[in-house]
Amino acid sequence: MRFDVLTLFPEMIESHCSYSILKRAIEAGVIEVGTVNPRDFTHDRHRKVDDTPYGGGAGMVLMPQPYVDAYESVKKLENSITIMLSPQGEQLSEKVVKELAEFDQIICLCGHYEGFDERIREIIKPREISLGDFVLTGGELPALCVIDAVSRKLEGTLGKIESAEDDSFSDGLLEYPQYTKPREYRGLKVPEVLLNGNHKDINAFRQEQRILRTKLRRPDLLENKDI
Ligand SMILES: C[S@@+](CC[C@H](N)C(=O)[O-])C[C@H]1O[C@@H](n2cnc3c(N)ncnc32)[C@H](O)[C@@H]1O
């Protein structure tokens, strides 16, 4: 999977991808992450990428020319999708992550300041993805969330030790509570069933806990489930 991120702050993307699991996924050739800076596509002395909004109002709007030229400079693979990180998009979810993981390339458009000149949307026609109903200062964190979540779906990113099999949402339920050493901490004990080595009992306990947790915390997830 190749990610190409259009951003005014490439270091934010590069830095996050140089740690831990993503770093290993890059080293193993499972993912490639490239950045393109629209500022490199400006034609003026000040390398200007934004300007005041027509009609007045606060903040600066990202100008179409540097963004569209930067976008058009990206070499597109056949099975490619372009997403725009935007609070106005559809919300990122397990379903969206799985759909995105089917592509060979994801081109991410990160906004900043007041956001994009509308013509960038009209020309590029990206799928707009939001992290949630709140506004961030830029699209880099949401782009990294997409890169991270999609990478976890690709074979070779997670080792056995970080396996995603039982993760929350993997089959529509939240994960069961997890415990590690010590057996007792501040008077709180690890449930006995997890210590007895009986995998049938352990699996039954965990499944019961997953359903219970989901009922309590996210009953909406159970609406169309036969449980
Ligand atoms: C300050 S925001 C612009 C918000 C825009 N003025 C609006 O109200 O819709 C700057 C950039 O941050 C990113 N961003 C902010 N909130 C986001 C969210 N919830 N999900 C995804 N991207 C977001 C987008 O790339 C956006 O262009």
Side-chain angles (χ1 to χ4, degrees), residues 64-178:
Q65 176 271 319
Y67 264 80
V68 172
D69 283 1
Y71 175 71
E72 288 176 348
S73 79
V74 177
K75 194 170 170 287
K76 282 197 200 60
L77 301 179
E78 208 173 295
N79 184 23
S80 160
I81 184 169
T82 300
I83 63 168
M84 172 183 276
L85 289 312
S86 156
Q88 302 181 19
E90 67 185 296
Q91 199 159 323
L92 189 63
S93 63
E94 179 76 359
K95 179 174 165 284
V96 173
V97 168
K98 279 185 180 155
E99 285 169 16
L100 294 177
E102 293 298 316
F103 290 89
D104 296 327
Q105 180 187 31
I106 302 177
I107 304 172
C108 305
L109 310 176
C110 303
H112 231 87
Y113 315 120
E114 268 312 302
F116 299 97
D117 181 295
E118 192 59 22
R119 290 163 294 183
I120 299 175
R121 287 187 166 88
E122 286 168 21
I123 293 168
I124 298 178
K125 297 186 175 57
R127 181 170 176 177
E128 291 193 37
I129 307 274
S130 168
L131 221 55
D133 290 348
F134 46 83
V135 177
L136 299 160
T137 55
E140 288 73 18
L141 287 175
L144 285 167
C145 289
V146 169
I147 294 172
D148 197 298
V150 168
S151 297
R152 294 183 92 250
K153 296 280 171 234
L154 306 176
E155 207 180 316
T157 296
L158 298 181
K160 200 163 176 267
I161 217 159
E162 303 109 356
S163 164
E165 264 168 41
D166 295 335
D167 275 347
S168 296
F169 311 112
S170 58
D171 72 349
L173 297 174
L174 300 182
E175 196 186 46
Y176 46 80
Q178 297 265 30

